Amino acid sequence: MRRRVNRVLIAALGVALLAIAWPPSRVAIQTAALIPSILDAGPRPLEWLSPAPRRDTLAWRTDADGTDDLADLWLPPSASAEHPH
């Protein structure tokens, strides 16, 4: 019985390592973590694991008559003038 439990644990560890190390599986895990945020349903693991981005609004002149358009600029929370990332 103990030998069977050891085999199951080793197999589970191997599958977990493969899921983390193999790029397509990492992308699948990241996508699965992003889906609740997109659908606005259920727990949001990305909000738990990463800080919220900083949002800035920029105005720029697009026409010769002087009208401005606005754009949203999303930056990492650690971004600054010295370290823009």
Side-chain angles (χ1 to χ4, degrees):
M1 181 69 178
R2 185 177 193 123
R3 183 176 249 175
R4 184 176 179 178
V5 170
N6 285 343
R7 286 183 189 168
V8 169
L9 288 176
I10 290 171
L13 180 63
V15 169
L17 287 175
L18 182 64
I20 293 171
W22 192 42
S25 64
R26 278 199 337 251
V27 170
I29 292 169
Q30 291 169 346
T31 302
L34 185 66
I35 288 174
S37 295
I38 293 172
L39 298 178
D40 198 26
R44 294 179 176 87
L46 289 181
E47 290 179 8
W48 301 337
L49 301 174
S50 62
R54 192 180 83 215
R55 179 181 177 188
D56 291 337
T57 302
L58 303 173
W60 79 90
R61 197 155 290 175
T62 57
D63 294 330
D65 64 356
T67 58
D68 288 342
D69 279 336
L70 296 176
D72 292 327
L73 179 63
W74 294 86
L75 298 168
S78 60
S80 65
E82 295 83 28
H83 303 288
H85 285 103

